[in-house]
Amino acid sequence: DYLEMVIQFGYITLFASAFPLASALALACNGAELYSDLFKVSYLCRRPRRPRVSGIGTWLGLLYVLVVASIFTNAVLIAFASDQLAPLLPQLFDARQRQGGQWP
């Protein structure tokens, strides 16, 4: 179950600026999965026996790497999708301004 949740967390955080609705869709999907897992555990199979652990192990390091990577990916997506870099790097935006505000 950790792998599924970490993949979903990665998609949401890495591309939050590109698709802000992803978190709402993930919440809806998690709600549907909660009810299906509840039905499965309640009626179809026995409760699994799990040993107690003090943390989530290696997943914590992976989540940390995802958070740091998402900071950079969202910063790059926002910087290149808007005109905020135009004063700092005018050579990237000269062709766009010559075309009347449209990308060539």
Side-chain angles (χ1 to χ4, degrees):
D1 282 338
Y2 280 124
L3 178 62
E4 181 181 342
M5 299 307 270
V6 168
I7 289 173
Q8 188 177 47
F9 179 77
Y11 280 130
I12 291 171
T13 57
L14 287 171
F15 305 108
S17 60
F19 187 54
L21 191 60
S23 58
L25 290 174
L27 183 65
C29 289
N30 284 341
E33 185 177 357
L34 176 74
Y35 283 115
S36 69
D37 287 346
L38 177 70
F39 177 78
K40 179 177 69 174
V41 170
S42 297
Y43 297 109
L44 301 179
C45 62
R46 294 179 57 173
R47 183 177 179 190
R49 299 198 187 272
R50 303 277 183 193
R52 288 195 174 258
V53 293
S54 62
I56 61 173
T58 337
W59 296 106
L60 186 62
L62 183 62
L63 288 170
Y64 180 77
V65 169
L66 278 174
V67 167
V68 171
S70 69
I71 292 170
F72 292 112
T73 57
N74 284 312
V76 168
L77 284 171
I78 290 172
F80 286 110
S82 66
D83 291 334
Q84 292 180 359
L85 284 180
L88 296 173
L89 301 168
Q91 65 272 15
L92 292 176
F93 295 91
D94 285 341
R96 184 176 168 188
Q97 290 172 352
R98 280 182 268 161
Q99 297 291 329
Q102 300 293 322
W103 286 102

